[in-house]
Amino acid sequence: MWLLPLWHFGTQVVHAMTFFRSIQTRFTACFAACFAWALLFSVAFSAHAQFRVEVSGVGLTQVPIAFAPFRGEDSSPQRIASIVQADLERSGQFRGLASNRSLDENDRPDISAIRQLGADALLTGSVSRLADGRFEVRIRLWDTVRSQDLGAMSYMVVASDLRLVAHRISDFVYEKLTGERGIFSTRIAYVTKAGGRYNLWVADSDGENAQSALASPEPIISPSWSPKGAQLAYVSFEARKPVVYVHDVFSGKRRLVANFRGSNSAPSWSPDGKTLALTLSRDGGSQLFLIDANGGEPRRLTQSAGIDTEPVFSPDGTAIYFVSDRGGSPQIYRMPAQGGPANRVTFNGSYNISPALSPDGRWMAYISRVGGAFKLHVMDLNSGNATAITDTSKDERPSFAANSRLIVYATQMEGREALSTTTLDGRIKARLSGQSGDIREPHWGPYFK
């Protein structure tokens, strides 16, 4: 098992037990274990790219939508309608209903019969294999309450792009029925370990279709998407110490950004993509710095006697939220993005880490220790009210979807490490679980720009 939620301090990597003894008078045993990077990765977990989605919970207002089997879908290696249904159900705003009659996008459905199923909407479509081996996918969405055709879409793609097409159809349906942009064609990044090798994966928002961005015999941690979704910043231990890189997802090229004396960790992008906030111990002690995303000389932001780490920019770029033990225990603080006085944000509990800001600026997700459990909390930043939204006890590293309505996080379920998504109220959770082993360090990418 993983020891506990990762608090990315910028300290040197040392033997776990030696380090623990050196700081046990200052922190609890759990807190000390955060620093033991190598030990955190001591369990081998699968790099298998296949996932299953298990949705649990009941939402207060869910749109019932019927899915007719797509005509010709048996010719496709992907079940488009099933992927769309899973996407929409995972959002917490839809409830899928099965329609046994096969309808394509050209059929005029019997609206009254669909209404008898209890459906407010209907998705129909077809999949055709073309002579050149590509697939043509066509869909049409119906509002069965108003008996209205809401529009159609069509794609011609190779087989490997069929899942992406399904996610784009999900985005189309979501936007038509909610008025908000869907997030199903966005991507997540996460890290796995199999045997002695570590992999940084880029996957669809449901965890499927994972592609390895980087493989290494040394740990990889803290992946962070750039605002345009084309690059990942992360920490690699291949130099036998934590070093920050920026990786171009499409070309596979990367550049070294921070390899200063001591530890280089916890990179986080500014909203304009030009700057990274990170934690460095180059001057002794772990403090926050700003550095150009192409590298260069960093500028120090904090001057505390404690440990300052896990910086994250506010969506408007004016502030940085971060974790510090300057008050005696790890808490989340807020300061101006260019440095200045820091104000404490979390007051409930003696251990609060891993802040994540929603893109709309309304919410902060974080991990709080409650008794002996580490639980995902969501705070309304306007009121300061915070609520635990999970019933698990080993939650780690939350990250918001681009529409601010879902959170991906790592946790342990039924004795296994897993990724899950949840709605902000915790009512609808979907488990994205590796078939054999564990996965960690999720970060949800932005809308691709």
Side-chain angles (χ1 to χ4, degrees):
M1 60 176 283
W2 289 57
L3 296 181
L4 80 169
L6 295 179
W7 184 21
H8 297 308
F9 299 102
T11 55
Q12 288 282 54
V13 180
V14 294
H15 189 277
M17 293 308 297
T18 300
F19 187 82
F20 171 72
R21 287 193 297 269
S22 71
I23 63 170
Q24 60 183 343
T25 58
R26 189 177 178 190
F27 303 113
T28 65
C30 288
F31 188 42
C34 285
F35 295 85
W37 301 106
L39 191 55
L40 283 169
F41 287 89
S42 61
V43 178
F45 53 105
S46 170
H48 202 291
Q50 296 301 310
F51 290 73
R52 67 179 183 274
V53 175
E54 302 167 359
V55 176
S56 61
V58 178
L60 291 177
T61 56
Q62 292 177 302
V63 177
I65 177 172
F67 293 86
F70 284 10
R71 188 162 291 168
E73 194 170 46
D74 288 343
S75 68
S76 168
Q78 299 286 351
R79 296 290 181 182
I80 305 295
S82 296
I83 296 170
V84 174
Q85 181 174 345
D87 281 347
L88 295 175
E89 288 180 345
R90 195 168 53 253
S91 75
Q93 299 194 54
F94 296 89
R95 176 168 54 90
L97 301 172
S99 172
N100 294 326
R101 182 185 175 190
S102 179
L103 297 168
D104 69 23
E105 70 285 353
N106 295 316
D107 290 328
R108 176 78 186 187
D110 183 342
I111 297 296
S112 62
I114 300 300
R115 287 294 296 150
Q116 289 179 6
L117 292 174
D120 291 349
L122 169 69
L123 184 67
T124 64
S126 65
V127 181
S128 304
R129 187 175 186 126
L130 305 178
D132 61 4
R134 292 183 300 165
F135 289 84
E136 184 175 24
V137 181
R138 296 176 177 271
I139 62 97
R140 189 174 297 276
L141 180 65
W142 295 88
D143 180 335
T144 60
V145 176
R146 298 178 177 84
S147 298
Q148 185 177 31
D149 179 354
L150 296 181
M153 299 183 75
S154 65
Y155 301 89
M156 274 189 273
V157 295
V158 296
S160 60
D161 286 337
L162 283 170
R163 286 194 63 84
L164 176 59
V165 163
H167 295 315
R168 287 181 174 168
I169 293 170
S170 301
D171 288 339
F172 170 79
V173 174
Y174 186 93
E175 185 166 359
K176 286 292 184 180
L177 296 180
T178 70
E180 298 180 356
R181 188 174 178 184
I183 46 79
F184 308 107
S185 58
T186 60
R187 296 168 298 174
I188 61 171
Y190 60 87
V191 178
T192 65
K193 179 176 182 283
R197 292 195 68 78
Y198 302 81
N199 266 279
L200 172 61
W201 298 94
V202 173
D204 292 352
S205 63
D206 59 359
E208 296 278 3
N209 195 31
Q211 305 293 320
S212 177
L214 178 69
S216 173
E218 301 296 334
I220 305 164
I221 60 172
S222 306
S224 176
W225 284 99
S226 67
K228 293 185 178 180
Q231 299 179 97
L232 281 166
Y234 58 85
V235 176
S236 172
F237 283 73
E238 60 201 75
R240 300 292 180 169
K241 58 174 284 189
V243 174
V244 175
Y245 289 89
V246 168
H247 191 107
D248 185 280
V249 173
F250 298 103
S251 70
K253 296 180 180 179
R254 65 174 184 169
R255 61 183 181 271
L256 178 65
V257 174
N259 184 18
F260 301 101
R261 181 176 62 86
S263 174
N264 310 264
S265 64
S268 178
W269 294 86
S270 63
D272 63 7
K274 297 179 180 180
T275 306
L276 290 170
L278 71 172
T279 300
L280 303 177
S281 64
R282 54 179 270 174
D283 300 329
S286 297
Q287 299 290 289
L288 300 185
F289 289 76
L290 292 179
I291 193 170
D292 189 281
N294 292 311
E297 182 62 23
R299 183 170 71 84
R300 185 166 177 169
L301 292 180
T302 57
Q303 304 283 340
S304 78
I307 294 169
D308 297 340
T309 189
E310 289 195 311
V312 58
F313 282 88
S314 62
D316 63 7
T318 62
I320 290 176
Y321 291 73
F322 65 101
V323 178
S324 178
D325 68 340
R326 61 184 62 192
S329 66
Q331 296 291 342
I332 298 171
Y333 291 78
R334 181 183 187 272
M335 70 177 182
Q338 297 303 313
N343 297 314
R344 186 167 161 178
V345 177
T346 52
F347 292 92
N348 294 329
S350 61
Y351 187 107
N352 296 297
I353 61 171
S354 302
L357 277 294
S358 63
D360 64 9
R362 294 181 57 194
W363 311 97
M364 182 178 74
Y366 63 99
I367 303 298
S368 182
R369 186 173 61 191
V370 181
F374 294 90
K375 301 183 75 66
L376 174 61
H377 285 60
V378 172
M379 175 184 287
D380 182 329
L381 290 173
N382 290 325
S383 68
N385 295 329
T387 306
I389 62 170
T390 62
D391 54 10
T392 45
S393 61
K394 296 180 180 179
D395 303 336
E396 303 175 6
R397 211 197 180 202
S399 177
F400 279 90
N403 67 354
S404 301
R405 288 188 173 272
L406 290 174
I407 300 169
V408 65
Y409 62 104
T411 192
Q412 189 174 103
M413 296 181 178
E414 301 172 356
R416 295 181 56 195
E417 306 298 334
L419 297 187
S420 286
T421 61
T422 180
T423 51
L424 301 191
D425 58 8
R427 292 180 180 273
I428 302 294
K429 297 182 179 68
R431 179 179 177 181
L432 285 64
S433 177
Q435 292 182 351
S436 58
D438 309 321
I439 53 180
R440 270 295 173 265
E441 294 285 284
H443 196 252
W444 207 323
Y447 293 120
F448 185 73
K449 301 173 184 178

